[in-house]
Amino acid sequence: MKIALVNANTIQPPLSPIGLLYLAAHLKAKSITVEIFDLCLETDIPAVLDRLAQGRPDLIGVSIRNIDSTQMKLDHYFLPGTLEIIKSLRLRCPRTPLVLGGAGFSLAPFDIMELSGADYGVVGEGERALHELAVRLSGNQDVSPVASLVYRDTQGRWHLNPPRNSDERWLEELPFQDLEAVNYRHYYESGGMASLQTKRGCALGCAYCTYPLIEGRSYRLLSPRRIVDEMEAFVDRGFTYFHFSDSVFNVPREHALAVCRQIIARALPVKWHAYMSPRGLDDEMAECLAAAGNDGVPLGIDSCSARMLQALGKDFGPPDIERAAAACRKQGLEFSFNILFGAPGETMNTAEESLRAIDDWRPTAAFLTQGIRIYRGTPLHQRLISEGKLDASMRLLEPHYYLSEELPPDFSDRIRAYALSRDFVYSDANAKSPSTNAEIVKLYRRGFRGPCWRVLRELSVS
Ligand code: B12
Ligand code: SF4
């Protein structure tokens, strides 16, 4: 069995395809031949697709990470470009089974199956489902029992088998990412970081969030030893700046502390950043983060108003944010507030509360985003339907945003003016996006490393 995996994510700066690198490692360990066709690093995409077809794979897998930018003010719909790629593959390999997967795909599997004309899809984690699908296809067996699989029945109707998430024992045995399957050095030098995970899943249920839908609602923790062994394998190849792509790095708290202590014990020359919650980010945690090479703490707080935090389903309140800010400052850790305006119930007063808190608690940077992308299956989706604000039949594949109707028409002007009058505040109305901006590649190639606020600061002076 020979599988061709396609990385269809061409956004710059390039992000190493961590999901595909785990898939490739898992499949190779099961003696399956795998080749990654990486469209992110190629300029002549038709030539890569020709090469793929000439190799006559038995199965083609396309990874769909992003369908859109998820930012109302910097709206970009990436899916049509990916569908074109799938169409081109279909033309070149009309008889080869084609399977889709990835975080973006998992958010709208049926719609994307319809539009793409693919044969199968995998929702959520892909390693075991893709392996089982490959084995069954090569033995001409029925594929309908494969967990997490989207497939058509004999009447042509789409089905999704209940997703099966990994358990900790299985995850612990998962081989390290297959760094040889792509040009990892290019990713590191042009994208500025290597990617790792310390866990999969998120057990919290914030109103708008898709992560539990993609990764599962329970935490599956990797052991600190396993995580730092993989980190060391990167360091041995000269990759020393990391991003932990967890839902939230410091939840559960004890696990995060144990990971930091393991990095400290091995005295690795690493720097890293990761999304964090203010909950439990006290002096002990901040001290441990600093000693383990943390290079910045992006706090995904969404609001500083107690009322809005409750409406968003957050498990922390303003006092936790204030405590986390103080703990980071004490340890000399840079930190940011990521604020998301416009959830149901947001008024000018609650928005002003957040703006005042930014001035009072003075993060290194604050990122202000307006409008919330609505995804099917989230608590926000259900709430808007039950309040009669959203038609339940809307497919929501094309980006659709909610902005509280209680906000005044000049809200956006207020946010823009606030951001422009403070050099540490960036708003979606006037800032570049550091993760979808090709200009930033030049910075990384010069050896610059750091969290997004340092990238933006550097851009404004260079
Ligand atoms: C960490 C993260 C980031 C970090 C990445 C840092 C890094 N070094 O990698 C940062 C902050 C930079 C980032 C940026 C962006 N991100 Co982001 N990110 C994530 C996050 C939280 C985790 C992704 C991850 O690494 N997962 C770990 C790996 C192991 O899992 P995986 O990639 O999903 O792969 C598994 C499965 O999907 C599956 N699979 C994958 N491919 C395939 C292929 C086949 C054939 C099969 C069968 C299975 C399969 O198997 C894999 C292994 O189990 C997800 C949300 C989430 N929880 O998934 C959002 C997410 C992917 N991001 C999203 C977006 C929108 C973006 C941005 C466009 C935001 C922006 N406007 O700037 C940019 C895009 C940057 C880029 N170049 O692509 C969206 C995408 C959905 C959408 N609407 O399009 C998500 C889902 C979050 C959301 N809003 O819901 N992101
Ligand atoms: S916003 Fe963060 S903490 Fe809340 S559900 Fe999503 S990943 Fe979990």
Side-chain angles (χ1 to χ4, degrees):
M1 170 58 82
K2 190 158 80 175
I3 305 184
L5 292 175
V6 179
N7 176 22
N9 179 11
T10 56
I11 296 175
Q12 301 294 324
L15 267 191
S16 63
I18 176 172
L20 284 180
L21 300 183
Y22 278 124
L23 285 178
H26 179 73
L27 293 169
K28 284 182 188 172
K30 302 280 180 197
S31 307
I32 289 181
T33 305
V34 186
E35 187 173 352
I36 295 185
F37 293 84
D38 193 350
L39 306 187
C40 189
L41 306 189
E42 301 287 345
T43 43
D44 189 350
I45 289 179
V48 183
L49 301 184
D50 285 342
R51 193 159 54 77
L52 182 155
Q54 280 151 19
R56 297 176 152 272
D58 303 300
L59 176 63
I60 300 172
V62 179
S63 181
I64 306 182
R65 183 193 193 277
N66 306 306
I67 49 181
D68 63 85
S69 59
T70 315
Q71 281 179 295
M72 187 174 82
K73 297 271 172 186
L74 300 166
D75 192 24
H76 197 102
Y77 190 34
F78 305 117
L79 186 67
T82 309
L83 293 175
E84 280 304 310
I85 290 165
I86 297 170
K87 214 161 86 192
S88 308
L89 279 168
R90 270 294 196 215
L91 284 172
R92 286 171 172 81
C93 308
R95 277 180 295 278
T96 313
L98 200 150
V99 54
L100 307 179
F105 170 76
S106 302
L107 295 175
F110 295 119
D111 295 330
I112 298 179
M113 290 308 290
E114 274 303 333
L115 290 172
S116 66
D119 303 295
Y120 306 105
V122 170
V123 169
E125 284 181 313
E127 290 90 351
R128 280 190 292 184
L130 186 55
H131 176 236
E132 260 179 63
L133 176 69
V135 169
R136 284 179 178 268
L137 285 174
S138 70
N140 278 323
Q141 285 170 282
D142 175 19
V143 297
S144 66
V146 177
S148 316
L149 190 73
V150 188
Y151 64 98
R152 260 191 216 278
D153 66 15
T154 45
Q155 268 92 54
R157 286 178 307 227
W158 287 114
H159 284 273
L160 165 60
N161 288 335
R164 176 185 54 185
N165 293 320
S166 55
D167 57 40
E168 287 185 353
R169 246 207 355 235
W170 180 86
L171 203 56
E172 192 71 8
E173 298 301 318
L174 180 64
F176 297 166
Q177 293 167 62
D178 180 2
L179 300 188
E180 314 308 328
V182 293
N183 182 350
Y184 207 89
R185 185 151 301 281
H186 177 96
Y187 277 106
Y188 187 72
E189 284 168 1
S190 304
M193 57 190 125
S195 309
L196 279 173
Q197 283 189 304
T198 78
K199 68 174 89 62
R200 289 185 179 176
C202 181
L204 304 177
C206 303
Y208 57 84
C209 185
T210 57
Y211 295 19
L213 301 176
I214 300 167
E215 296 190 19
R217 296 181 192 281
S218 63
Y219 294 114
R220 284 94 68 205
L221 310 176
L222 284 155
S223 73
R225 183 196 51 75
R226 158 74 177 70
I227 297 159
V228 184
D229 281 352
E230 185 163 4
M231 185 178 235
E232 237 178 308
F234 277 86
V235 173
D236 289 346
R237 291 170 157 87
F239 307 129
T240 55
Y241 197 96
F242 295 88
H243 181 274
F244 284 111
S245 299
D246 297 11
S247 46
V248 184
F249 175 80
N250 61 326
V251 180
R253 184 173 183 278
E254 290 309 314
H255 182 251
L257 287 171
V259 173
C260 290
R261 290 187 183 122
Q262 185 70 212
I263 299 173
I264 298 165
R266 298 202 204 175
L268 293 181
V270 295
K271 289 228 171 285
W272 56 273
H273 61 275
Y275 276 96
M276 307 240 189
S277 164
R279 194 182 165 109
L281 210 172
D282 53 11
D283 287 343
E284 183 190 17
M285 172 68 78
E287 196 180 338
C288 213
L289 292 173
N294 177 278
D295 193 35
V297 178
L299 290 169
I301 55 175
D302 295 343
S303 175
C304 298
S305 147
R307 201 176 101 196
M308 289 315 296
L309 289 171
Q310 205 183 8
L312 286 159
K314 295 285 166 186
D315 68 340
F316 55 82
D320 298 291
I321 304 174
E322 189 174 10
R323 194 179 316 114
C328 288
R329 195 169 291 111
K330 198 163 151 194
Q331 293 303 324
L333 290 174
E334 292 192 345
F335 61 100
S336 69
F337 285 177
N338 293 7
I339 307 279
L340 190 51
F341 290 113
E346 184 95 84
T347 62
M348 203 61 205
N349 283 343
T350 59
E352 290 291 353
E353 267 183 75
S354 291
L355 300 182
R356 272 196 305 276
I358 293 171
D359 284 338
D360 289 347
W361 299 335
R362 202 45 221 260
T364 315
F367 296 92
L368 313 182
T369 306
Q370 305 158 62
I372 302 187
R373 168 72 155 102
I374 310 167
Y375 292 100
R376 300 184 76 86
T378 56
L380 176 67
H381 179 235
Q382 279 147 25
R383 175 176 174 168
L384 294 177
I385 291 171
S386 68
E387 289 176 358
K389 292 177 181 162
L390 190 77
D391 180 347
S393 66
M394 271 185 82
R395 68 177 186 179
L396 300 172
L397 172 66
E398 294 81 5
H400 193 88
Y401 295 88
Y402 175 80
L403 187 71
S404 167
E405 42 290 289
E406 294 178 59
L407 285 168
D410 61 352
F411 176 67
S412 203
D413 298 337
R414 166 69 180 129
I415 296 303
R416 174 192 282 266
Y418 176 90
L420 284 175
S421 60
R422 286 155 183 82
D423 62 1
F424 67 103
V425 179
Y426 304 91
S427 97
D428 52 8
N430 56 5
K432 293 186 164 72
S433 164
S435 43
T436 55
N437 194 305
E439 250 181 78
I440 293 164
V441 171
K442 287 187 211 137
L443 252 188
Y444 288 135
R445 292 198 76 83
R446 291 207 314 261
F448 182 88
R449 301 283 177 264
C452 50
W453 57 87
R454 232 176 287 148
V455 169
L456 292 173
R457 214 188 290 144
E458 183 71 15
L459 272 190
S460 67
V461 292
S462 58

